[in-house]
PDB file of all heavy atoms in Angstrom:
ATOM      1  N   MET X  30      79.921  86.885 116.093  1.00 76.00           N
ATOM      2  CA  MET X  30      79.822  85.715 115.271  1.00 76.00           C
ATOM      3  C   MET X  30      80.923  85.581 114.283  1.00 76.00           C
ATOM      4  O   MET X  30      81.549  84.551 114.013  1.00 76.00           O
ATOM      5  CB  MET X  30      78.433  85.663 114.587  1.00 76.00           C
ATOM      6  CG  MET X  30      78.232  84.503 113.670  1.00 76.00           C
ATOM      7  SD  MET X  30      77.937  83.008 114.740  1.00 76.00           S
ATOM      8  CE  MET X  30      77.508  81.926 113.609  1.00 76.00           C
ATOM      9  N   LYS X  31      81.328  86.723 113.721  1.00 83.00           N
ATOM     10  CA  LYS X  31      82.404  86.710 112.737  1.00 83.00           C
ATOM     11  C   LYS X  31      83.725  86.454 113.431  1.00 83.00           C
ATOM     12  O   LYS X  31      84.490  85.715 112.779  1.00 83.00           O
ATOM     13  CB  LYS X  31      82.566  88.117 112.061  1.00 83.00           C
ATOM     14  CG  LYS X  31      81.446  88.479 111.122  1.00 83.00           C
ATOM     15  CD  LYS X  31      81.597  89.883 110.493  1.00 83.00           C
ATOM     16  CE  LYS X  31      80.414  90.172 109.591  1.00 83.00           C
ATOM     17  NZ  LYS X  31      80.573  91.492 108.966  1.00 83.00           N
ATOM     18  N   GLN X  32      83.912  86.825 114.692  1.00 83.00           N
ATOM     19  CA  GLN X  32      85.193  86.608 115.326  1.00 83.00           C
ATOM     20  C   GLN X  32      85.310  85.112 115.580  1.00 83.00           C
ATOM     21  O   GLN X  32      86.456  84.507 115.357  1.00 83.00           O
ATOM     22  CB  GLN X  32      85.175  87.339 116.683  1.00 83.00           C
ATOM     23  CG  GLN X  32      86.451  87.123 117.436  1.00 83.00           C
ATOM     24  CD  GLN X  32      87.632  87.723 116.841  1.00 83.00           C
ATOM     25  OE1 GLN X  32      87.529  88.630 115.980  1.00 83.00           O
ATOM     26  NE2 GLN X  32      88.810  87.218 117.116  1.00 83.00           N
ATOM     27  N   SER X  33      84.265  84.307 115.932  1.00 86.00           N
ATOM     28  CA  SER X  33      84.422  82.931 116.255  1.00 86.00           C
ATOM     29  C   SER X  33      84.555  82.169 114.932  1.00 86.00           C
ATOM     30  O   SER X  33      85.284  81.194 114.882  1.00 86.00           O
ATOM     31  CB  SER X  33      83.128  82.482 116.966  1.00 86.00           C
ATOM     32  OG  SER X  33      82.024  82.711 116.193  1.00 86.00           O
ATOM     33  N   THR X  34      83.981  82.732 113.785  1.00 89.00           N
ATOM     34  CA  THR X  34      84.144  82.037 112.592  1.00 89.00           C
ATOM     35  C   THR X  34      85.641  82.173 112.128  1.00 89.00           C
ATOM     36  O   THR X  34      86.293  81.239 111.675  1.00 89.00           O
ATOM     37  CB  THR X  34      83.278  82.711 111.469  1.00 89.00           C
ATOM     38  OG1 THR X  34      81.908  82.593 111.953  1.00 89.00           O
ATOM     39  CG2 THR X  34      83.461  82.033 110.112  1.00 89.00           C
ATOM     40  N   ARG X  35      86.146  83.371 112.318  1.00 87.00           N
ATOM     41  CA  ARG X  35      87.573  83.660 111.885  1.00 87.00           C
ATOM     42  C   ARG X  35      88.573  82.784 112.813  1.00 87.00           C
ATOM     43  O   ARG X  35      89.526  82.251 112.220  1.00 87.00           O
ATOM     44  CB  ARG X  35      88.052  85.083 112.134  1.00 87.00           C
ATOM     45  CG  ARG X  35      87.386  86.024 111.066  1.00 87.00           C
ATOM     46  CD  ARG X  35      87.944  87.391 111.262  1.00 87.00           C
ATOM     47  NE  ARG X  35      86.856  88.295 110.894  1.00 87.00           N
ATOM     48  CZ  ARG X  35      86.404  89.214 111.713  1.00 87.00           C
ATOM     49  NH1 ARG X  35      87.027  89.476 112.862  1.00 87.00           N
ATOM     50  NH2 ARG X  35      85.417  89.994 111.286  1.00 87.00           N
ATOM     51  N   MET X  36      88.232  82.699 114.076  1.00 90.00           N
ATOM     52  CA  MET X  36      89.072  81.891 114.972  1.00 90.00           C
ATOM     53  C   MET X  36      88.978  80.441 114.535  1.00 90.00           C
ATOM     54  O   MET X  36      90.026  79.731 114.610  1.00 90.00           O
ATOM     55  CB  MET X  36      88.567  82.041 116.392  1.00 90.00           C
ATOM     56  CG  MET X  36      89.681  81.705 117.327  1.00 90.00           C
ATOM     57  SD  MET X  36      91.140  82.639 117.152  1.00 90.00           S
ATOM     58  CE  MET X  36      92.283  81.650 118.020  1.00 90.00           C
ATOM     59  N   GLY X  37      87.797  79.920 114.186  1.00 91.00           N
ATOM     60  CA  GLY X  37      87.725  78.518 113.785  1.00 91.00           C
ATOM     61  C   GLY X  37      88.481  78.216 112.536  1.00 91.00           C
ATOM     62  O   GLY X  37      89.123  77.229 112.386  1.00 91.00           O
ATOM     63  N   LEU X  38      88.394  79.191 111.510  1.00 91.00           N
ATOM     64  CA  LEU X  38      89.108  79.001 110.280  1.00 91.00           C
ATOM     65  C   LEU X  38      90.688  79.025 110.615  1.00 91.00           C
ATOM     66  O   LEU X  38      91.393  78.196 110.153  1.00 91.00           O
ATOM     67  CB  LEU X  38      88.829  80.095 109.281  1.00 91.00           C
ATOM     68  CG  LEU X  38      89.601  80.149 108.053  1.00 91.00           C
ATOM     69  CD1 LEU X  38      89.416  78.933 107.136  1.00 91.00           C
ATOM     70  CD2 LEU X  38      89.369  81.364 107.216  1.00 91.00           C
ATOM     71  N   PHE X  39      91.117  80.002 111.468  1.00 90.00           N
ATOM     72  CA  PHE X  39      92.495  80.024 111.866  1.00 90.00           C
ATOM     73  C   PHE X  39      92.978  78.691 112.470  1.00 90.00           C
ATOM     74  O   PHE X  39      94.038  78.190 112.187  1.00 90.00           O
ATOM     75  CB  PHE X  39      92.770  81.174 112.833  1.00 90.00           C
ATOM     76  CG  PHE X  39      94.094  81.162 113.438  1.00 90.00           C
ATOM     77  CD1 PHE X  39      95.255  81.522 112.766  1.00 90.00           C
ATOM     78  CD2 PHE X  39      94.329  80.733 114.715  1.00 90.00           C
ATOM     79  CE1 PHE X  39      96.525  81.499 113.212  1.00 90.00           C
ATOM     80  CE2 PHE X  39      95.605  80.607 115.386  1.00 90.00           C
ATOM     81  CZ  PHE X  39      96.636  81.074 114.602  1.00 90.00           C
TER      82      PHE X  39
END
Side-chain angles (χ1 to χ4, degrees):
M30 183 69 174
K31 289 181 182 180
Q32 181 67 24
S33 60
T34 303
R35 284 186 220 125
M36 197 62 196
L38 177 63
F39 170 77

